[in-house]
Each structure stands twice: as structure tokens, then as C-alpha cells.
Amino acid sequence: MIESVEQIAASPKIDLKSKVAIAFLLLFIGGALSAPWLPLPFSPNETDLEHISQPPWQWEQYRSGEPFHWLGTDQIGRDLLANIIFGARTALFISFPAMALAAVLGIYLGSLAGYFGDKGYKKSIGAVLAAIIAILFFLFYFFLADTSFLTQNDFGKQVIFKLLVLVLSVLLFKLLRWVFNQGSSLRKTISLPLDILILKVIELFQSVPRLLLVLSLATFVRPSLAVVIGLSAFTYWPGIARLVRSEMLKIKELPYLEAARALGFSDKQIIVKHALPNALTPVIIAFAFGISNLMALESTLSFLGIGIPPDVPSWGRAILGFKKDLSAWWLGLFPGLVLCGAVLSVQAVAQLLIRLINPK
Amino acid sequence: MPTVWLISSVVFLVSRLIPGTYADNFAEMREGSIGNAGKTMTRAAYLKELAATGQDKPLFYFSIRTHAQPDTLQRVFPVKHQQFLQALISNYGNWPAISAYYKSLLILQQKTADITPDASHYALIQAETALLFQTTEPNKIKSIFRRLIENTGISSGNWQQALMAARQNLNQLTKEAQPYQNLLPAFNQNGLDNQYHIWLKSFLKLDLGYSLRDAQPVTSVLKNTIQNTLLLLISSLILIFALAIELSLFLSLSNRRSWRKVVSPALYVLESIPLFVIALFVLVFLAGTGYLNLFPVSGLGTVSYESEGWFFAFSNRLYHLLLPLFCLVIASLPYVTTQFYLSLQQVLASEFITTARSKGLSEKKVLRRHAFRNILLPVITLFTGYLPSLISGAIVIEVIFAIPGTGRLLADSVLASDYPVVMGLILFVAALKAGSHLLADFLYFTADPRTRQKIT
């Protein structure tokens, strides 16, 4: 599907715009990943109270060997350059895992819905019952059961207990399924309407404005990066699921899948090895657009001060300084430019991908 | 509608399940309203408050808890003791024994309070008794008892008796400890008299409860803000669509090649800039004191309808809304225009357009009368589909321009975890969405004769 790197670089289809975008993106990722090891004179949360609201490029203050605020500082003396570079780190560390989570969830549910449809997913009543019981068992012992008299609040022991619960639930499911399938009336198969169920959930998620959903969920949890990642993944998976589902519906009808079925591959093998690789193209593109979307969402959230803790350096937080003091143009311009550049270059690369995969 | 029900139910249940969030806010609010009186709250007042907020009732129609867990723990006062009892339950699991031990401790506390302050070892007794309410390990408790007996020469019969009783109950407790009860599930049926049922009933009657921040009814809080948001949303929606239609028609004219080359990359770049960045720069350049000081920076003005006459008040409000409107339109225009442009191109490729052109109609006529009519359906679909992102945009815009609308209310309520207001806002958005769907159906009906035929 995608040729080797040299081929892509040599291909004439890459115009200047894409090259700039790729260069910016590499710079962005490189800066984000190596931020803690870069020779920055200031850390992003360090307040230099002697230089408050300092505009950029104050050369008269520059002395070699001494720390210098290249891009100026905000109202409490935080270095803007350090904040931009660490902000890139935050943007990357939020958008990438969130999108990856959303993609995994979306691909899983979308391919289930698309491949099996409403009638394809057949299980015996006994297996369904066993699954329900095992899930209830798991939920109770994982979340509700009070085990502190066994574990003495020791973290390692708690983890072992939870793992044990997981293993036991799986074993319980297998055992119950075997027991139930002994009875003939429980061996009858019913089809689970996976497509309708998953579509309804997708509809539910997409009918609410995303920002509203994230905000109202953020009402109840303490701000933290993990929460923001979780919430974003939670709100982005429906789009990917919908894409994968529609691709699956198309692929399902193709002759090669019928051949695979005729050869006796299991459903799992067919989905993972035969169908999904052909459904991935739109997912990759949606992934890229999702990342650019999420970077904007992340900075919007930190700009609003919701969900992201105030001590996390972020572009949105830097721009918030601009809102507080409208004469500090550098606080708006530089983070704004970097943010737009990141969003634009991710989108440009996504479009390049479309052209490379679909040369028309 | 099921969406609204599901989301508000989840918000409600989560808000009650997460410990501390709701009760703490409520207590804080009460404390604020009656000064310092809240600090010396008595058990009776606590129970009354629980009853007032409905929190003395079970949460849902049924509950699943461990076998050791009693269902009346939230009625114990002070709240600190609930944690103590919870720790005891985790360790011993036998609720009757725990409750007996706790009661004897309470008696001991009372008797300790009866001792005259000038008695010897008074401070020590106080401290050790208080410590009893934090210790769950049997050996530590026993050593506290030993110290109480050995180091204090109190011979007051009542106190000694209470101490002995507590000791005995502790022995009982350790002997009859059943920690495995923590691993047994218990299923309770709570009937209709539960918090969720009561909430749902009032929710269906559109009684949204009271804001946790200022104890005003949510409906009146919402009413003050909805007007402004609706004004912003509707006018921006109309503007966006009018401009996008004109722009896409303009770009579709065949002699506009050079325009297209300039406009479409510009739209593309504009689309990728987050709204709040656009808004801030618009704010600085058009309203900032250093640049073009053309527009007011924030707020909606202070003119009221009564004092200044309707027209003046309205135009004043519009003047304040111009800049926010401009931002919303700028941010939304690229996407909507691109969509229209693409569907116009699709229509322009079809055969009836060639026919129209070959009949010698002017390019404008072909576009407006033949092509445009055929993109009306996607236009209407986008009209409703675009609403969610416009609402998201309005949230950001209202925060930046300090417009007292629903978006700003939402941001503030989220920061204060004022969940009744958040829920009311969700309801408002859902209603908006339903209304837009209704409108879209009506527009389909008028725009496309085929939909009319089916009905009659």
C-alpha cells in the first residue's frame, strides 16, 4: 500500500507544501519528544519574577552564558519558548494516545457491526447467559468487593487480586458455557443485533456537541491528563467506528471474502487478516484529521481551564495569558502560529497520504 | 429524546455516586448562606439536610453492595465517623458487632464529655478517646484501652462502666469478625422511593432543581442566558448560510478561476485555525485599545429594555454582538462553503446543466435557477448537522467575549461542578437539536416537491 520511504521522498507527487508540512511535523514531534533533554534555560513552570511580561527579543538584556527569554515571558514570568516546546509535548501526548485509543475502540466496534450486521453474530443462549454472569461476577469483584482485609491496602497485592478476578471471570465464563451447553434448550442459537446496538450508541454520541460532552463529563472528575485522554477517546471513537462499519459493509460483499469463508477461515481470522487491512485507508486519514482536531480541542480546553490541570504547560494556557493582557501580543502570536502550523501540517500530511494511496 | 434521558440520567447518577461532589457542594452552599452556623451542625440538622436533598433515600431502584455493607451508613453523623465505620467494615465485616462496638464508643465519648475539665489526665483522656474513633487495628485499640485504664485514676463509676462495655464489645467484634462478608454480594430492592425516581419525575415536569452556586432555580438561571445564545446562534446561522451560498455560487462561475486559486487555500488555512485563536486576534485588532477601537470588547451592554425603549436596546445589543458574530461566521464559513461548493460542482457535471447551457441561458441563470435548486437538500441537511459544532463554537466565543449566554454559563458551571445547571444546559441543547430537526423536515417539505407527494 505505502511504498518505502525513499520512493515516497523521490516521488514527484510531493509538492513544496507537503514538504514544508512534513518538515514542520518532524520538528514538532522531535521537539515534543526531546523537550526534557533540550538545553532550555528555563523550565515551563518556572516563574522568573524579575522579568514579567517581557516582550520577545530584548537584546539589550542578552548576555552570553546567562539564561535569556528568547520569546519573552507571560504575566508571572514563565518563559514562552519553554512553554511552547513543552506545550507541543502536551499536545502530542494527549492527541496521540487519545486517538490511538479511539481508533482501537472504533475499529473493534465498527468492524463487529459492519461484518456481522444484525443477523450474523450467532451465539448459543447458554454462552450469552454465561457471558452475562461472568461479566457481573467480574464487575462485582473488580469494583465493589472490599478486599482491604486481604490486601492491607498494599498496591501490589491489590493488582494481583484484580488480575486474579480477571482470570477467574474468564474461567467462570468457559465453565458456565460448557455446563449450559449440556442442556439442549440452551444450545439453541440466537443472533445478537450488533449493528443496531452499535449504531444506536454511535448516534447517541454524535448527537451531542463534542465540546459539551467533554465539558459535562469533566464536571465530575478532577482535572488530569489521563481524564482528558479518556474523554477524548470516548468522544472520538464513534466517527472511526462509523467509517470502519461502512467499509466493512462494502468489503463483506466482495468475492474474496466469500472465498475466505468458503476456505473455512474463522470469522476472527477473516476480519483481522482479510477484511481490516482493506478498510484501513480511510481510518488512517481519519486518524490524522482526528489528531489535528484533538490538538485544537486540547488547547481549547486548557484555554478554558477545564479538564487540563493548570500546571500542565500547553499552548492554550499560553494563549490564555494573551486574553488576560491583550497588549502582550507575543503570547497570542507564537503559540497561535505553532498551533495552526501543527494543525495545518497534520492535515497536509493526511491529504498527501490520500493522494499517495489513491493516485487519481 | 432517549438521548436526553440517557445522558441526563448518567450525569445525575454519576454526580451522586462520586463521593463528596454533591454533598460537599451543598453543604458549602448552606454554610455560605447561614454564615458560620454550618460548622456546629448537629446530627438533627444533618439528617434534615439529607432529607431535604433527598439523599437519605437509596439511589436507584435496586442496589448491589457487599454483604457486610449496611444501607444506612450515610446517616451516620459526623461524616468523619462514616469513614471510620467503613474501615471497620472492611476489616471485620460483621455489621451487628461493629454497630454494637460503635455505640459503646459513643457512650464512652459522652461519658468522657461529662468529666469535669479540671480532673487529672483530662487532656489525655480526651485525646485517647478521640483516637479510638480513628483506630481499627485490634492491638492498637487494646493498647489505648490499657492506657486509659492504667494512666487515669478516674473512678467515676459511669465512665469505668462505659470503658468496660466498649472493651467487651471489642472482644466480641474480634471474636466474631467475618471479613469474608466483604466478598459476598447482596442485592437490595429499593422500590420506587429512591433518589433517581424522584429526580426523574421532576425532570419530566421540567423542574430542574436549584443551582448549587446561588440556590436559584435552574430554569430562571437558564432563562436569563438562553435569549443571548439564541440570538447569537440564529443570526450566525443565517449569516453563515447566506454568505456560504453566495460565495460558493460566486466561485462556481466559470470565469472565476483566479478567484478560486486565492480563495480556496485561504479558506483551507482559515478552517484549521482554532476558533479561540481567531476570536482573540479579532478581539485585539478590532476592539483592542491599541489598534482599531471600533467595537466593544465584551459584554452585552447595560441598556435595559424598559428604560431606553425597545429599538435602542436591541440595536445596542446587536452592536455588542457584531464582533462575536463575525468570529463565528469566519470560523464556520470555510467548512460550509467547501461543502456547498463541492455539491454544486457535482450538480454542474450533470446533463440537465449542459442542456440548460446549450439552450443559451446565461451562466448566472444556470447557476441560480438550475444548479442551486438542486443543492438545496444538502444545504438543509448541513443546516441541522452543523448545529453541534456551532454550539461548541458559541461556548468558546461567549467565554472570550464575556457574553452572558449559555456557553459561558456552562463553562462556569463545569468549573464549579454545578451539575443541575449543566443538566439544564444539556436539555437546552437537546431541545435546540430537536427544534432544528423539525425545522429541517419542514424545509425539506417546502424545498422538495417529492416529499410533499408522499404525504398527500
Side-chain angles (χ1 to χ4, degrees):
Chain A
M1 193 164 61
I2 301 171
E3 308 101 286
S4 68
V5 180
E6 290 89 41
Q7 267 175 313
I8 289 182
S11 104
K13 276 175 264 170
I14 300 184
D15 50 352
L16 185 68
K17 190 182 89 185
S18 313
K19 275 180 190 154
V20 173
I22 291 175
F24 186 85
L25 211 61
L26 287 179
L27 192 72
F28 163 68
I29 295 174
L33 290 180
S34 62
W37 298 281
L38 286 181
L40 291 170
F42 299 95
S43 75
N45 281 329
E46 188 182 328
T47 54
D48 181 358
L49 293 176
E50 284 169 25
H51 305 98
I52 296 171
S53 292
Q54 181 183 315
W57 308 306
Q58 297 291 302
W59 300 118
E60 60 267 29
Q61 295 198 7
Y62 182 76
R63 270 165 229 102
S64 70
E66 267 181 46
F68 176 64
H69 298 288
W70 290 94
L71 292 181
T73 56
D74 67 359
Q75 289 86 359
I76 52 174
R78 287 182 296 211
D79 185 52
L80 185 58
L81 181 65
N83 267 293
I84 285 181
I85 292 173
F86 275 86
R89 196 176 163 80
T90 310
L92 188 72
F93 281 13
I94 284 184
S95 59
F96 200 81
M99 213 51 220
L101 261 179
V104 168
L105 199 62
I107 289 174
Y108 184 72
L109 291 176
S111 55
L112 278 186
Y115 183 80
F116 289 109
D118 280 338
K119 302 223 169 76
Y121 196 73
K122 287 199 169 70
K123 287 281 164 204
S124 71
I125 300 176
V128 175
L129 272 180
I132 292 172
I133 293 173
I135 287 172
L136 286 179
F137 173 85
F138 173 76
L139 288 180
F140 178 79
Y141 282 102
F142 201 83
F143 294 107
L144 273 178
D146 190 345
T147 56
S148 49
F149 73 95
L150 287 175
T151 56
Q152 256 78 43
N153 292 327
D154 175 40
F155 184 72
K157 279 185 190 164
Q158 275 171 359
V159 171
I160 290 172
F161 182 82
K162 304 242 145 145
L163 282 178
L164 197 70
V165 167
L166 191 66
V167 172
L168 276 179
S169 317
V170 174
L171 286 179
L172 182 72
F173 168 68
K174 299 226 151 139
L175 179 76
L176 281 178
R177 190 177 57 180
W178 181 78
V179 170
F180 286 153
N181 280 345
Q182 302 305 305
S184 60
S185 61
L186 289 175
R187 219 179 304 161
K188 246 190 283 172
T189 57
I190 46 169
S191 51
L192 296 176
L194 279 182
D195 198 25
I196 287 188
L197 281 180
I198 292 172
L199 263 189
K200 280 278 165 215
V201 177
I202 291 176
E203 226 172 81
L204 191 77
F205 274 91
Q206 293 196 329
S207 66
V208 189
R210 186 173 284 144
L211 192 59
L212 183 78
L213 196 64
V214 173
L215 287 187
S216 52
L217 290 172
T219 317
F220 307 109
V221 274
R222 288 234 160 83
S224 77
L225 289 193
V227 166
V228 173
I229 291 173
L231 287 184
S232 316
F234 201 59
T235 49
Y236 272 79
W237 73 264
I240 291 196
R242 186 165 257 187
L243 265 180
V244 174
R245 176 184 169 271
S246 62
E247 283 297 306
M248 263 309 182
L249 282 180
K250 264 186 262 165
I251 291 172
K252 200 169 73 170
E253 304 302 324
L254 294 181
Y256 84 94
L257 269 206
E258 212 167 317
R261 238 171 279 148
L263 283 171
F265 286 111
S266 70
D267 284 335
K268 201 167 148 193
Q269 273 175 320
I270 293 177
I271 294 180
V272 175
K273 286 205 176 140
H274 299 264
L276 267 185
N278 282 316
L280 275 186
T281 318
V283 173
I284 292 171
I285 290 153
F287 189 85
F289 280 106
I291 283 202
S292 73
N293 237 325
L294 265 175
M295 287 197 286
L297 180 76
E298 181 266 328
S299 50
T300 308
L301 280 180
S302 58
F303 177 76
L304 292 175
I306 291 169
I308 294 171
D311 58 336
V312 173
S314 134
W315 297 333
R317 189 184 75 174
I319 299 175
L320 184 62
F322 177 50
K323 191 201 164 201
K324 283 180 191 149
D325 174 15
L326 287 176
S327 60
W329 53 270
W330 60 96
L331 289 179
L333 185 67
F334 297 122
L337 271 183
V338 180
L339 175 58
C340 298
V343 171
L344 265 178
S345 56
V346 171
Q347 287 183 354
V349 170
Q351 271 168 353
L352 181 72
L353 271 180
I354 298 179
R355 265 181 287 145
L356 287 179
I357 295 167
N358 252 340
K360 265 183 209 159
Chain B
M1 274 297 128
T3 319
V4 182
W5 165 74
L6 204 83
I7 290 178
S8 356
S9 293
V10 167
V11 170
F12 171 79
L13 290 175
V14 169
S15 75
R16 296 288 170 106
L17 272 179
I18 286 185
T21 327
Y22 185 70
D24 286 356
N25 278 342
F26 205 82
E28 250 169 55
M29 175 189 121
R30 281 294 167 86
E31 240 167 79
S33 61
I34 44 176
N36 285 328
K39 279 180 188 155
T40 52
M41 204 163 54
T42 59
R43 177 157 199 262
Y46 173 74
L47 285 182
K48 217 170 119 191
E49 197 172 288
L50 276 187
T53 53
Q55 285 190 86
D56 55 340
K57 301 203 170 84
L59 182 66
F60 203 60
Y61 296 103
F62 60 85
S63 49
I64 297 169
R65 51 165 74 90
T66 64
H67 213 269
Q69 198 85 1
D71 55 355
T72 48
L73 194 62
Q74 83 267 30
R75 295 174 67 93
V76 171
F77 182 83
V79 182
K80 237 196 283 174
H81 287 188
Q82 291 178 13
Q83 291 163 7
F84 168 62
L85 282 174
Q86 187 60 56
L88 282 180
I89 291 167
S90 307
N91 280 323
Y92 300 103
N94 186 352
W95 175 244
I98 291 171
S99 139
Y101 171 63
Y102 175 66
K103 273 180 193 145
S104 63
L105 278 191
L106 282 183
I107 294 172
L108 181 67
Q109 194 187 29
Q110 209 181 359
K111 294 283 182 294
T112 313
D114 288 344
I115 300 173
T116 42
D118 50 300
S120 55
H121 306 290
Y122 176 73
L124 181 94
I125 296 173
Q126 292 281 330
E128 298 280 5
T129 318
L131 203 58
L132 276 176
F133 282 97
Q134 291 161 19
T135 326
T136 55
E137 259 177 64
N139 289 333
K140 278 189 190 160
I141 302 175
K142 272 178 193 155
S143 70
I144 294 175
F145 280 143
R146 211 175 305 126
R147 260 175 287 160
L148 274 175
I149 295 168
E150 286 167 3
N151 295 344
T152 61
I154 293 194
S155 52
S156 151
N158 276 339
W159 188 81
Q160 287 283 3
Q161 217 176 344
L163 189 63
M164 287 304 141
R167 247 180 116 176
Q168 204 175 355
N169 278 328
L170 178 73
N171 284 337
Q172 193 85 2
L173 179 62
T174 46
K175 222 186 288 167
E176 293 175 7
Q178 299 164 329
Y180 61 85
Q181 293 235 20
N182 279 311
L183 291 181
L184 297 178
F187 186 84
N188 275 51
Q189 223 168 348
N190 297 327
L192 291 182
D193 192 22
N194 60 55
Q195 290 182 42
Y196 177 74
H197 190 75
I198 292 164
W199 168 81
L200 189 65
K201 263 201 296 195
S202 59
F203 186 73
L204 288 178
K205 282 187 236 154
L206 289 182
D207 171 14
L208 299 171
Y210 296 89
S211 160
L212 294 181
R213 274 180 302 165
D214 47 10
Q216 275 184 7
V218 171
T219 32
S220 78
V221 174
L222 284 185
K223 216 160 66 188
N224 295 335
T225 57
I226 281 179
Q227 251 186 19
N228 297 327
T229 303
L230 274 187
L231 189 64
L232 187 68
L233 280 181
I234 292 174
S235 42
S236 63
L237 206 57
I238 293 171
L239 260 180
I240 289 166
F241 276 76
L243 281 177
I245 289 169
E246 284 307 315
L247 197 60
S248 56
L249 284 176
F250 175 78
L251 288 179
S252 297
L253 285 174
S254 47
N255 55 351
R256 295 282 193 262
R257 248 200 113 89
S258 49
W259 276 95
R260 278 201 287 274
K261 263 190 182 162
V262 180
V263 174
S264 57
L267 287 181
Y268 175 67
V269 171
L270 206 57
E271 194 184 349
S272 68
I273 306 177
L275 176 62
F276 73 104
V277 179
I278 296 181
L280 273 178
F281 278 94
V282 166
L283 191 68
V284 168
F285 286 115
L286 292 182
T289 42
Y291 304 90
L292 295 164
N293 196 359
L294 284 179
F295 292 96
V297 175
S298 62
L300 274 183
T302 49
V303 185
S304 69
Y305 281 84
E306 287 81 28
S307 61
E308 298 283 343
W310 184 85
F311 180 74
F312 184 71
F314 186 75
S315 54
N316 180 59
R317 182 167 287 203
L318 206 64
Y319 174 60
H320 278 84
L321 273 182
L322 270 183
L323 217 50
L325 262 181
F326 177 67
C327 293
L328 262 185
V329 171
I330 284 280
S332 314
L333 206 54
Y335 177 73
V336 181
T337 311
T338 320
Q339 294 296 317
F340 289 171
Y341 181 74
L342 288 180
S343 33
L344 258 180
Q345 293 308 307
Q346 250 173 14
V347 173
L348 283 178
S350 53
E351 283 171 359
F352 73 91
I353 295 290
T354 324
T355 318
R357 278 194 181 129
S358 62
K359 278 197 293 187
L361 290 179
S362 73
E363 185 70 23
K364 259 190 186 154
K365 244 184 183 166
V366 170
L367 268 178
R368 293 211 177 244
R369 303 203 53 171
H370 294 253
F372 176 63
R373 289 206 140 201
N374 280 287
I375 67 158
L376 268 181
L377 290 190
V379 166
I380 295 170
T381 311
L382 203 63
F383 192 72
T384 51
Y386 199 64
L387 203 65
S389 55
L390 202 60
I391 292 172
S392 303
I395 295 175
V396 176
I397 286 289
E398 283 175 11
V399 170
I400 289 176
F401 287 94
I403 298 169
T406 50
R408 208 163 78 104
L409 184 67
L410 178 70
D412 291 347
S413 309
V414 168
L415 284 176
S417 354
D418 187 352
Y419 97 93
V421 176
V422 172
M423 210 130 64
L425 287 168
I426 292 175
L427 198 66
F428 162 68
V429 170
L432 214 59
K433 187 108 183 156
S436 74
H437 274 299
L438 218 63
L439 188 68
D441 280 348
F442 176 73
L443 288 176
Y444 280 137
F445 188 72
T446 42
D448 191 351
R450 279 169 297 182
T451 53
R452 254 172 287 170
Q453 273 169 3
K454 262 182 215 162
I455 293 169
T456 49

